Amino acid sequence: MEKRTMHFGFGVDANYVKYAGILMANLAMLHPDRPLYFHLACDGIEAADRQKLEALVHKYNNVRVDVYDLRRQLDALKPISSKVPPRLNRSMLLRILLPSLVPQQIRRLVYLDVDVICINRLDELFRLALQGQAIGAVRDTKSAENAAALGLTGSKYFFSGVLVIDVPVWHSLQLTERVAAYYQQNSEKLLLADQDALNAVIDGSFTELDKRYNFLIEVNNPLMCAYPANAAILHCVNETKAWTQGCLKSIRELYWRYVRQSPWHDLQPSEPATVKAAFLAATTAELEGEHEQARRYYAAVINRFTEYYYNKAPQLLQAAQQECLAAAAAEKQGEAVLAVRCYGLAARRLMEQYLRENPEFVKN
């Protein structure tokens, strides 16, 4: 008996096509015995990435890829709110648009953010009964709070990073049209853009998935990187992703296994984009004995905060400077471990002060 095709959807801007392709390789390696059909919605795409997608199809003979370039449709929508975290952009809205373009004869579509890593098979998501609902999703960790902020009738609010979609029901409820209309009317006040708009329209009418299908990890934070053996999808939250420098070794090795088996095998890790990410990259490197890398990132944190506090907190900078002098002395003695520890103390002192002044920074 022929096995049914598994349909997956993704939404990315031109810079993230490569990460979608690596996730496709990840899925192909996990499901070598199943036909896989990937629906890739793009806010632009480079010719080189199109060629690599074709190479992916040739490498994995169970894979097909359709590309939907939706720049025109995105242009018709309002810009996302200035209150949305800077790391996010309008490609978030592609998850609203894509299901309406998928033929209704495709009954089940699993939509994945491309900053996930799949570590167990996803067959169950294609068998799961959605009980007449348009989507299945994992409930948000701040479900009641977010539901109340949107004025929902109940306390159910979901993460939109993993969606199990019943395509005919989605079509019948005209969800793309309704969610897009809600977004157009409320875009400036939606802090999570598409996720808020989807939740506002669906208003709790979704099938709840076990959190192992959207298990949140912070890949450069040892306190937030553990996951259960039965987790199926790891979702890299906040600004650091599995492809960012400073990832914990266990996650780095897992992710780069799939990079090497994709047409993007020459990909290089990206640098941390924020001071918080640089600080966590430094602590990770220190824990793993990578002293030169730890020193480099601690130095970046210290330099950034020296600029920030130059006229604001001279006593704070003086204390940090003493620790940096101790680090320099240790370096002269060839004591790399002690030097990194002293640089780390200076960086931590500055970081902790900033977090006391800006507690909301912890969440971003």
Side-chain angles (χ1 to χ4, degrees):
M1 182 177 177
E2 184 179 355
K3 293 189 176 181
R4 291 179 60 181
T5 300
M6 301 167 79
H7 290 266
F8 291 94
F10 318 95
V12 294
D13 66 12
N15 294 322
Y16 267 51
V17 171
K18 54 183 171 288
Y19 304 125
I22 292 163
L23 179 53
M24 292 176 193
N26 176 177
L27 291 164
M29 291 174 68
L30 277 181
H31 307 91
D33 58 331
R34 294 288 298 268
L36 304 179
Y37 204 129
F38 298 133
H39 302 265
L40 180 63
C42 298
D43 184 8
I45 181 171
E46 300 292 337
D49 283 322
R50 281 191 181 273
Q51 292 172 358
K52 288 182 177 180
L53 288 171
E54 292 173 4
L56 182 85
V57 172
H58 286 113
K59 179 178 176 67
Y60 298 101
N61 57 17
N62 60 326
V63 165
R64 286 189 61 186
V65 180
D66 271 355
V67 176
Y68 307 72
D69 191 341
L70 301 183
R71 283 174 288 186
R72 181 175 56 81
Q73 290 90 330
L74 288 172
D75 288 344
L77 296 173
K78 290 184 177 180
I80 61 174
S81 170
S82 58
K83 301 170 187 175
V84 170
R87 66 180 180 273
L88 305 176
N89 59 47
R90 72 176 192 169
S91 64
M92 302 163 64
L93 304 174
L94 291 167
R95 89 184 79 235
I96 298 172
L97 302 174
L98 180 60
S100 67
L101 302 174
V102 173
Q104 290 192 55
Q105 62 265 30
I106 298 171
R107 302 199 61 81
R108 179 65 53 91
L109 177 72
V110 173
Y111 189 99
L112 301 173
D113 279 355
V114 300
D115 58 354
V116 307
I117 309 172
C118 296
I119 58 173
N120 280 305
R121 291 178 63 104
L122 303 181
D123 305 75
E124 185 180 345
L125 296 183
F126 291 86
R127 296 192 298 262
L128 180 71
L130 294 184
Q131 303 164 331
Q133 307 286 14
I135 68 165
V138 174
R139 189 188 289 234
D140 194 298
T141 50
K142 297 182 178 178
S143 180
E145 179 183 331
N146 290 341
L150 283 176
L152 304 188
T153 55
S155 61
K156 290 181 65 179
Y157 178 104
F158 58 84
F159 287 118
S160 63
V162 175
L163 297 177
V164 179
I165 300 171
D166 186 312
V167 176
V169 174
W170 180 287
H171 278 269
S172 70
L173 296 176
Q174 298 181 308
L175 281 179
T176 290
E177 295 80 2
R178 292 168 58 203
V179 175
Y182 182 90
Y183 171 79
Q184 292 291 78
Q185 294 166 8
N186 300 279
S187 61
E188 187 50 40
K189 62 184 180 184
L190 298 179
L191 301 183
L192 293 172
D194 67 300
Q195 182 168 287
D196 279 348
L198 280 163
N199 273 281
V201 172
I202 289 174
D203 196 5
S205 295
F206 65 94
T207 297
E208 193 168 342
L209 303 181
D210 188 279
K211 68 178 183 179
R212 70 192 186 92
Y213 287 111
N214 195 357
F215 195 88
L216 308 183
I217 61 170
E218 194 168 22
V219 297
N220 58 357
N221 186 344
L223 301 179
M224 290 185 60
C225 214
Y227 55 88
N230 71 340
I233 300 172
L234 305 180
H235 199 155
C236 307
V237 298
N238 298 331
E239 67 275 1
T240 300
K241 305 303 179 186
W243 54 80
T244 309
Q245 199 70 265
C247 221
L248 285 161
K249 184 178 180 181
S250 59
I251 299 298
R252 184 170 68 240
E253 290 180 349
L254 175 65
Y255 185 72
W256 288 87
R257 174 191 173 205
Y258 298 119
V259 174
R260 289 191 294 271
Q261 295 301 316
S262 79
W264 292 265
H265 51 77
D266 57 350
L267 181 72
Q268 296 299 311
S270 60
E271 287 294 318
T274 67
V275 66
K276 177 186 172 185
F279 178 77
L280 287 172
T283 58
T284 296
E286 183 179 4
L287 283 171
E288 295 180 350
E290 298 172 354
H291 302 126
E292 183 53 40
Q293 185 157 296
R295 181 193 183 285
R296 180 161 67 94
Y297 289 131
Y298 279 139
V301 172
I302 293 165
N303 291 339
R304 178 66 185 91
F305 280 129
T306 297
E307 293 175 12
Y308 181 79
Y309 283 117
Y310 187 75
N311 293 316
K312 296 182 180 182
Q315 290 182 326
L316 175 67
L317 290 182
Q318 187 175 15
Q321 184 181 36
Q322 292 302 311
E323 287 153 344
C324 289
L325 289 172
E331 285 181 321
K332 285 184 179 179
Q333 298 296 319
E335 298 179 9
V337 174
L338 178 59
V340 167
R341 188 178 306 143
C342 292
Y343 283 125
L345 287 171
R348 190 168 289 107
R349 180 187 298 276
L350 297 165
M351 191 79 186
E352 287 175 351
Q353 178 63 31
Y354 186 80
L355 293 178
R356 282 193 290 270
E357 296 171 359
N358 303 274
E360 72 281 0
F361 187 69
V362 178
K363 303 174 185 176
N364 297 323

PDB file of all heavy atoms in Angstrom, residues 124-148:
ATOM      1  N   GLU A 124       2.638  11.122  13.368  1.00  0.00           N
ATOM      2  CA  GLU A 124       1.419  11.285  14.162  1.00  0.00           C
ATOM      3  C   GLU A 124       0.668  12.564  13.815  1.00  0.00           C
ATOM      4  O   GLU A 124      -0.564  12.615  13.887  1.00  0.00           O
ATOM      5  CB  GLU A 124       1.766  11.274  15.656  1.00  0.00           C
ATOM      6  CG  GLU A 124       0.547  11.313  16.558  1.00  0.00           C
ATOM      7  CD  GLU A 124       0.908  11.312  18.028  1.00  0.00           C
ATOM      8  OE1 GLU A 124       2.057  10.999  18.374  1.00  0.00           O
ATOM      9  OE2 GLU A 124       0.015  11.637  18.832  1.00  0.00           O
ATOM     10  N   LEU A 125       1.395  13.611  13.419  1.00  0.00           N
ATOM     11  CA  LEU A 125       0.740  14.870  13.086  1.00  0.00           C
ATOM     12  C   LEU A 125      -0.127  14.743  11.828  1.00  0.00           C
ATOM     13  O   LEU A 125      -1.032  15.563  11.615  1.00  0.00           O
ATOM     14  CB  LEU A 125       1.781  15.977  12.891  1.00  0.00           C
ATOM     15  CG  LEU A 125       2.596  16.352  14.132  1.00  0.00           C
ATOM     16  CD1 LEU A 125       3.535  17.510  13.815  1.00  0.00           C
ATOM     17  CD2 LEU A 125       1.692  16.694  15.314  1.00  0.00           C
ATOM     18  N   PHE A 126       0.132  13.727  11.020  1.00  0.00           N
ATOM     19  CA  PHE A 126      -0.671  13.512   9.805  1.00  0.00           C
ATOM     20  C   PHE A 126      -1.805  12.500  10.036  1.00  0.00           C
ATOM     21  O   PHE A 126      -2.638  12.304   9.161  1.00  0.00           O
ATOM     22  CB  PHE A 126       0.241  13.075   8.654  1.00  0.00           C
ATOM     23  CG  PHE A 126       1.149  14.169   8.195  1.00  0.00           C
ATOM     24  CD1 PHE A 126       2.373  14.387   8.815  1.00  0.00           C
ATOM     25  CD2 PHE A 126       0.776  15.026   7.170  1.00  0.00           C
ATOM     26  CE1 PHE A 126       3.210  15.414   8.415  1.00  0.00           C
ATOM     27  CE2 PHE A 126       1.602  16.056   6.763  1.00  0.00           C
ATOM     28  CZ  PHE A 126       2.821  16.261   7.385  1.00  0.00           C
ATOM     29  N   ARG A 127      -1.818  11.895  11.212  1.00  0.00           N
ATOM     30  CA  ARG A 127      -2.917  10.996  11.584  1.00  0.00           C
ATOM     31  C   ARG A 127      -3.855  11.625  12.604  1.00  0.00           C
ATOM     32  O   ARG A 127      -4.978  11.172  12.783  1.00  0.00           O
ATOM     33  CB  ARG A 127      -2.353   9.696  12.187  1.00  0.00           C
ATOM     34  CG  ARG A 127      -1.520   8.855  11.239  1.00  0.00           C
ATOM     35  CD  ARG A 127      -1.258   7.483  11.836  1.00  0.00           C
ATOM     36  NE  ARG A 127      -0.498   7.573  13.087  1.00  0.00           N
ATOM     37  CZ  ARG A 127       0.815   7.393  13.165  1.00  0.00           C
ATOM     38  NH1 ARG A 127       1.527   7.157  12.064  1.00  0.00           N
ATOM     39  NH2 ARG A 127       1.439   7.484  14.332  1.00  0.00           N
ATOM     40  N   LEU A 128      -3.391  12.645  13.260  1.00  0.00           N
ATOM     41  CA  LEU A 128      -4.107  13.250  14.372  1.00  0.00           C
ATOM     42  C   LEU A 128      -5.474  13.769  13.952  1.00  0.00           C
ATOM     43  O   LEU A 128      -5.608  14.483  12.961  1.00  0.00           O
ATOM     44  CB  LEU A 128      -3.267  14.407  14.927  1.00  0.00           C
ATOM     45  CG  LEU A 128      -3.810  15.183  16.101  1.00  0.00           C
ATOM     46  CD1 LEU A 128      -3.751  14.328  17.358  1.00  0.00           C
ATOM     47  CD2 LEU A 128      -3.017  16.473  16.292  1.00  0.00           C
ATOM     48  N   ALA A 129      -6.509  13.421  14.710  1.00  0.00           N
ATOM     49  CA  ALA A 129      -7.856  13.943  14.452  1.00  0.00           C
ATOM     50  C   ALA A 129      -7.964  15.351  15.007  1.00  0.00           C
ATOM     51  O   ALA A 129      -7.735  15.572  16.196  1.00  0.00           O
ATOM     52  CB  ALA A 129      -8.894  13.033  15.099  1.00  0.00           C
ATOM     53  N   LEU A 130      -8.307  16.306  14.155  1.00  0.00           N
ATOM     54  CA  LEU A 130      -8.444  17.690  14.597  1.00  0.00           C
ATOM     55  C   LEU A 130      -9.863  18.019  15.036  1.00  0.00           C
ATOM     56  O   LEU A 130     -10.151  19.158  15.407  1.00  0.00           O
ATOM     57  CB  LEU A 130      -7.992  18.653  13.496  1.00  0.00           C
ATOM     58  CG  LEU A 130      -6.502  18.613  13.141  1.00  0.00           C
ATOM     59  CD1 LEU A 130      -6.168  19.684  12.108  1.00  0.00           C
ATOM     60  CD2 LEU A 130      -5.631  18.786  14.373  1.00  0.00           C
ATOM     61  N   GLN A 131     -10.761  17.044  14.980  1.00  0.00           N
ATOM     62  CA  GLN A 131     -12.113  17.175  15.535  1.00  0.00           C
ATOM     63  C   GLN A 131     -12.878  18.361  14.945  1.00  0.00           C
ATOM     64  O   GLN A 131     -13.578  19.089  15.645  1.00  0.00           O
ATOM     65  CB  GLN A 131     -12.035  17.291  17.063  1.00  0.00           C
ATOM     66  CG  GLN A 131     -11.314  16.092  17.695  1.00  0.00           C
ATOM     67  CD  GLN A 131     -10.890  16.346  19.123  1.00  0.00           C
ATOM     68  OE1 GLN A 131     -10.619  17.481  19.504  1.00  0.00           O
ATOM     69  NE2 GLN A 131     -10.808  15.295  19.919  1.00  0.00           N
ATOM     70  N   GLY A 132     -12.709  18.535  13.631  1.00  0.00           N
ATOM     71  CA  GLY A 132     -13.438  19.599  12.945  1.00  0.00           C
ATOM     72  C   GLY A 132     -12.812  20.969  13.038  1.00  0.00           C
ATOM     73  O   GLY A 132     -13.326  21.935  12.447  1.00  0.00           O
ATOM     74  N   GLN A 133     -11.703  21.088  13.773  1.00  0.00           N
ATOM     75  CA  GLN A 133     -11.032  22.381  13.883  1.00  0.00           C
ATOM     76  C   GLN A 133     -10.105  22.604  12.693  1.00  0.00           C
ATOM     77  O   GLN A 133      -9.631  21.654  12.075  1.00  0.00           O
ATOM     78  CB  GLN A 133     -10.203  22.451  15.174  1.00  0.00           C
ATOM     79  CG  GLN A 133     -10.962  22.106  16.431  1.00  0.00           C
ATOM     80  CD  GLN A 133     -11.925  23.215  16.854  1.00  0.00           C
ATOM     81  OE1 GLN A 133     -12.212  24.121  16.088  1.00  0.00           O
ATOM     82  NE2 GLN A 133     -12.429  23.123  18.078  1.00  0.00           N
ATOM     83  N   ALA A 134      -9.809  23.862  12.401  1.00  0.00           N
ATOM     84  CA  ALA A 134      -8.926  24.185  11.275  1.00  0.00           C
ATOM     85  C   ALA A 134      -7.476  23.897  11.597  1.00  0.00           C
ATOM     86  O   ALA A 134      -6.697  23.557  10.700  1.00  0.00           O
ATOM     87  CB  ALA A 134      -9.088  25.651  10.876  1.00  0.00           C
ATOM     88  N   ILE A 135      -7.103  24.037  12.863  1.00  0.00           N
ATOM     89  CA  ILE A 135      -5.698  23.849  13.213  1.00  0.00           C
ATOM     90  C   ILE A 135      -5.529  23.095  14.523  1.00  0.00           C
ATOM     91  O   ILE A 135      -6.414  23.068  15.374  1.00  0.00           O
ATOM     92  CB  ILE A 135      -4.926  25.189  13.318  1.00  0.00           C
ATOM     93  CG1 ILE A 135      -5.420  25.997  14.527  1.00  0.00           C
ATOM     94  CG2 ILE A 135      -5.007  26.006  12.048  1.00  0.00           C
ATOM     95  CD1 ILE A 135      -4.475  27.121  14.901  1.00  0.00           C
ATOM     96  N   GLY A 136      -4.347  22.485  14.660  1.00  0.00           N
ATOM     97  CA  GLY A 136      -3.852  21.980  15.927  1.00  0.00           C
ATOM     98  C   GLY A 136      -2.578  22.738  16.242  1.00  0.00           C
ATOM     99  O   GLY A 136      -1.779  23.035  15.339  1.00  0.00           O
ATOM    100  N   ALA A 137      -2.372  23.081  17.517  1.00  0.00           N
ATOM    101  CA  ALA A 137      -1.199  23.859  17.906  1.00  0.00           C
ATOM    102  C   ALA A 137      -0.933  23.648  19.386  1.00  0.00           C
ATOM    103  O   ALA A 137      -1.791  23.158  20.128  1.00  0.00           O
ATOM    104  CB  ALA A 137      -1.411  25.351  17.610  1.00  0.00           C
ATOM    105  N   VAL A 138       0.258  24.032  19.814  1.00  0.00           N
ATOM    106  CA  VAL A 138       0.648  23.944  21.225  1.00  0.00           C
ATOM    107  C   VAL A 138       0.239  25.225  21.933  1.00  0.00           C
ATOM    108  O   VAL A 138       0.459  26.333  21.424  1.00  0.00           O
ATOM    109  CB  VAL A 138       2.172  23.717  21.359  1.00  0.00           C
ATOM    110  CG1 VAL A 138       2.605  23.785  22.826  1.00  0.00           C
ATOM    111  CG2 VAL A 138       2.551  22.366  20.757  1.00  0.00           C
ATOM    112  N   ARG A 139      -0.357  25.073  23.102  1.00  0.00           N
ATOM    113  CA  ARG A 139      -0.779  26.234  23.870  1.00  0.00           C
ATOM    114  C   ARG A 139       0.441  27.045  24.322  1.00  0.00           C
ATOM    115  O   ARG A 139       1.456  26.493  24.735  1.00  0.00           O
ATOM    116  CB  ARG A 139      -1.583  25.787  25.090  1.00  0.00           C
ATOM    117  CG  ARG A 139      -2.244  26.953  25.840  1.00  0.00           C
ATOM    118  CD  ARG A 139      -2.865  26.496  27.141  1.00  0.00           C
ATOM    119  NE  ARG A 139      -4.058  25.691  26.951  1.00  0.00           N
ATOM    120  CZ  ARG A 139      -5.235  25.967  27.518  1.00  0.00           C
ATOM    121  NH1 ARG A 139      -5.374  27.014  28.301  1.00  0.00           N
ATOM    122  NH2 ARG A 139      -6.262  25.162  27.312  1.00  0.00           N
ATOM    123  N   ASP A 140       0.334  28.357  24.230  1.00  0.00           N
ATOM    124  CA  ASP A 140       1.401  29.265  24.639  1.00  0.00           C
ATOM    125  C   ASP A 140       1.645  29.158  26.145  1.00  0.00           C
ATOM    126  O   ASP A 140       0.730  28.904  26.923  1.00  0.00           O
ATOM    127  CB  ASP A 140       1.000  30.702  24.276  1.00  0.00           C
ATOM    128  CG  ASP A 140       2.150  31.684  24.329  1.00  0.00           C
ATOM    129  OD1 ASP A 140       2.719  31.880  25.413  1.00  0.00           O
ATOM    130  OD2 ASP A 140       2.484  32.262  23.275  1.00  0.00           O
ATOM    131  N   THR A 141       2.898  29.373  26.554  1.00  0.00           N
ATOM    132  CA  THR A 141       3.231  29.324  27.978  1.00  0.00           C
ATOM    133  C   THR A 141       2.583  30.482  28.745  1.00  0.00           C
ATOM    134  O   THR A 141       2.450  30.420  29.969  1.00  0.00           O
ATOM    135  CB  THR A 141       4.759  29.376  28.175  1.00  0.00           C
ATOM    136  OG1 THR A 141       5.287  30.477  27.421  1.00  0.00           O
ATOM    137  CG2 THR A 141       5.399  28.087  27.698  1.00  0.00           C
ATOM    138  N   LYS A 142       2.200  31.545  28.039  1.00  0.00           N
ATOM    139  CA  LYS A 142       1.469  32.664  28.644  1.00  0.00           C
ATOM    140  C   LYS A 142       0.077  32.762  28.048  1.00  0.00           C
ATOM    141  O   LYS A 142      -0.416  33.850  27.722  1.00  0.00           O
ATOM    142  CB  LYS A 142       2.242  33.965  28.441  1.00  0.00           C
ATOM    143  CG  LYS A 142       3.596  33.988  29.125  1.00  0.00           C
ATOM    144  CD  LYS A 142       4.276  35.314  28.910  1.00  0.00           C
ATOM    145  CE  LYS A 142       5.623  35.345  29.634  1.00  0.00           C
ATOM    146  NZ  LYS A 142       6.332  36.628  29.389  1.00  0.00           N
ATOM    147  N   SER A 143      -0.568  31.610  27.934  1.00  0.00           N
ATOM    148  CA  SER A 143      -1.847  31.520  27.238  1.00  0.00           C
ATOM    149  C   SER A 143      -2.898  32.462  27.820  1.00  0.00           C
ATOM    150  O   SER A 143      -3.504  33.268  27.095  1.00  0.00           O
ATOM    151  CB  SER A 143      -2.350  30.074  27.297  1.00  0.00           C
ATOM    152  OG  SER A 143      -3.587  29.940  26.634  1.00  0.00           O
ATOM    153  N   ALA A 144      -3.150  32.383  29.116  1.00  0.00           N
ATOM    154  CA  ALA A 144      -4.212  33.188  29.724  1.00  0.00           C
ATOM    155  C   ALA A 144      -3.918  34.682  29.596  1.00  0.00           C
ATOM    156  O   ALA A 144      -4.802  35.488  29.280  1.00  0.00           O
ATOM    157  CB  ALA A 144      -4.393  32.797  31.185  1.00  0.00           C
ATOM    158  N   GLU A 145      -2.664  35.059  29.830  1.00  0.00           N
ATOM    159  CA  GLU A 145      -2.268  36.470  29.749  1.00  0.00           C
ATOM    160  C   GLU A 145      -2.449  37.016  28.333  1.00  0.00           C
ATOM    161  O   GLU A 145      -2.996  38.110  28.132  1.00  0.00           O
ATOM    162  CB  GLU A 145      -0.802  36.593  30.182  1.00  0.00           C
ATOM    163  CG  GLU A 145      -0.233  37.988  30.122  1.00  0.00           C
ATOM    164  CD  GLU A 145       1.241  38.010  30.490  1.00  0.00           C
ATOM    165  OE1 GLU A 145       1.681  37.151  31.282  1.00  0.00           O
ATOM    166  OE2 GLU A 145       1.958  38.898  29.977  1.00  0.00           O
ATOM    167  N   ASN A 146      -2.000  36.262  27.341  1.00  0.00           N
ATOM    168  CA  ASN A 146      -2.107  36.723  25.957  1.00  0.00           C
ATOM    169  C   ASN A 146      -3.549  36.736  25.481  1.00  0.00           C
ATOM    170  O   ASN A 146      -3.959  37.623  24.723  1.00  0.00           O
ATOM    171  CB  ASN A 146      -1.264  35.836  25.041  1.00  0.00           C
ATOM    172  CG  ASN A 146       0.222  36.035  25.249  1.00  0.00           C
ATOM    173  OD1 ASN A 146       0.645  37.047  25.800  1.00  0.00           O
ATOM    174  ND2 ASN A 146       1.020  35.079  24.830  1.00  0.00           N
ATOM    175  N   ALA A 147      -4.336  35.739  25.923  1.00  0.00           N
ATOM    176  CA  ALA A 147      -5.748  35.700  25.552  1.00  0.00           C
ATOM    177  C   ALA A 147      -6.489  36.906  26.118  1.00  0.00           C
ATOM    178  O   ALA A 147      -7.318  37.529  25.437  1.00  0.00           O
ATOM    179  CB  ALA A 147      -6.375  34.400  26.047  1.00  0.00           C
ATOM    180  N   ALA A 148      -6.189  37.241  27.371  1.00  0.00           N
ATOM    181  CA  ALA A 148      -6.835  38.391  28.001  1.00  0.00           C
ATOM    182  C   ALA A 148      -6.463  39.689  27.289  1.00  0.00           C
ATOM    183  O   ALA A 148      -7.306  40.572  27.097  1.00  0.00           O
ATOM    184  CB  ALA A 148      -6.450  38.462  29.476  1.00  0.00           C
TER     185      ALA A 148
END
